[in-house]
Amino acid sequence: MTDRRAQQQRMSWLLDGCTVAGVSAFVHSYPSWINPWELTPLQWVVGFTLIRGAITIYDHLVIFLVDCSNAKLLPTRTTGKPVRYVDLDRTSYVFLTINSLNEWVFVQRLCHFLWHADTIPKSLDEVGVANTLAALYVMFVVLDVCYAPCHHILHMPSIYPLIHKHHHRQHYPTRGYLDAGNEHPIEHMIGTLCTWAAVLVAAYTTGAHALTIFLFFNVHAALAMLNHSPYDVEFGALGIRYSVANHEMHHRKFIVNYAQYCMWYDHVAHTFADYEGPSDKQALKRAA
């Protein structure tokens, strides 16, 4: 092992150790943070199990519906030559387990917020354009305004090996949720905080309806799964451009396309890259 790699490993252990200690101390001081509904231990475990089952079913349902829509595969998946595929390792299973716990806590806190916040309309009589369509737009835009620069920071050379590198083991994502959620818990927490920011901004600017926030959460989850699938899905409107091909380029090139829905940040930061299929690479080789 080189000195540089050994130093990175020590830094990784130090970061992970400090994170575990910090989270443990926080949960010990504020136990209601992970159990806002004051569930019994059995109820908490049963709820976690049900959520895991629901997410698994939802992941397969999303892929099934896309497959039924006759969506094309990304060009890199149609050459007849298998793309680089990496199996889940022990670290992947540890991260997926920790992140699944974080997701369960997030679901609890989101539902608790929607149920108890006086500022969140819940009646069907209160549904309007501002708290539905406008609120959805605000949430997707704010999510990327927060997420894209954080994602870019995670690619800084001094930080990348410690946190985000694990997620990039898979250059050609294909497993949906398993590839989307296979990331360092710190990165996963950053993602959930960005989602929280999107919900809060929409709630306090457009009066987002509870049903709208619920819809946003489910659509965001589905698109995150699709972003790590082999399907060439793309759509957009009003400055929002969702493209699985864009995210595949990020996994292949590492330093491009940091945003997910609004590529504004990448255009401003000059990190946007159009999709390059196999034919594009062959053309470049012939021209060289």
Side-chain angles (χ1 to χ4, degrees):
M1 182 181 295
T2 64
D3 291 342
R4 181 180 179 183
R5 184 171 177 79
Q7 183 182 15
Q8 287 178 350
Q9 191 173 66
R10 288 193 295 269
M11 289 294 294
S12 179
W13 288 341
L14 178 62
L15 175 65
D16 293 348
C18 290
T19 301
V20 170
V23 171
S24 299
F26 181 83
V27 171
H28 182 267
S29 300
Y30 305 98
S32 62
W33 184 263
I34 64 171
N35 190 16
W37 292 98
E38 299 181 351
L39 304 175
T40 65
L42 177 60
Q43 291 171 332
W44 201 96
V45 172
V46 170
F48 169 75
T49 303
L50 291 175
I51 286 294
R52 295 322 307 162
I55 290 177
T56 301
I57 294 172
Y58 190 54
D59 182 28
H60 286 82
L61 176 63
V62 169
I63 299 301
F64 172 75
L65 292 176
V66 173
D67 195 34
C68 288
S69 70
N70 294 321
K72 296 180 179 179
L73 295 175
L74 290 162
T76 52
R77 320 301 173 93
T78 60
T79 62
K81 179 181 178 181
V83 295
R84 180 178 182 271
Y85 184 85
V86 179
D87 288 327
L88 298 175
D89 60 0
R90 182 175 60 182
T91 301
S92 298
Y93 285 110
V94 171
F95 284 175
L96 284 165
T97 300
I98 295 173
N99 294 341
S100 67
L101 292 170
N102 185 37
E103 288 165 359
W104 168 223
V105 172
F106 175 83
V107 169
Q108 289 185 77
R109 296 200 62 81
L110 178 64
C111 293
H112 190 270
F113 171 72
L114 297 180
W115 185 260
H116 291 283
D118 295 332
T119 55
I120 302 296
K122 304 171 186 64
S123 171
L124 291 178
D125 295 334
E126 298 175 280
V127 171
V129 174
N131 63 14
T132 53
L133 296 179
L136 268 179
Y137 184 82
V138 168
M139 282 187 278
F140 278 109
V141 169
V142 172
L143 175 61
D144 254 358
V145 166
C146 296
Y147 176 78
C150 291
H151 190 184
H152 199 169
I153 290 171
L154 290 177
H155 276 267
M156 293 175 60
S158 58
I159 299 175
Y160 178 77
L162 306 179
I163 300 175
H164 194 50
K165 183 178 180 180
H166 179 81
H167 184 65
H168 275 277
R169 293 174 68 248
Q170 193 74 354
H171 292 183
Y172 295 89
T174 189
R175 287 177 291 230
Y177 172 82
L178 289 177
D179 282 337
N182 188 15
E183 58 189 2
H184 194 287
I186 291 178
E187 178 181 354
H188 193 268
M189 180 59 72
I190 291 172
T192 55
L193 290 175
C194 291
T195 305
W196 260 117
V199 169
L200 293 176
V201 170
Y204 293 112
T205 58
T206 67
H209 196 280
L211 291 176
T212 307
I213 296 174
F214 180 77
L215 177 63
F216 162 72
F217 176 69
N218 283 276
V219 172
H220 173 44
L223 296 182
M225 295 170 184
L226 274 180
N227 254 349
H228 297 83
S229 77
Y231 293 99
D232 192 5
V233 177
E234 181 176 355
F235 58 85
L238 301 176
I240 293 179
R241 181 194 173 197
Y242 175 79
S243 169
V244 177
N246 281 345
H247 198 66
E248 188 196 81
M249 282 297 292
H250 174 72
H251 272 264
R252 287 164 52 192
K253 302 292 185 181
F254 292 9
I255 56 173
V256 300
N257 299 351
Y258 294 109
Q260 302 177 92
Y261 310 115
C262 306
M263 308 307 291
W264 304 342
Y265 176 85
D266 290 291
H267 287 294
V268 171
H270 303 292
T271 55
F272 178 76
D274 285 317
Y275 187 75
E276 294 178 5
S279 60
D280 299 324
K281 292 192 290 185
Q282 291 170 5
L284 289 173
K285 289 182 179 179
R286 287 195 297 268

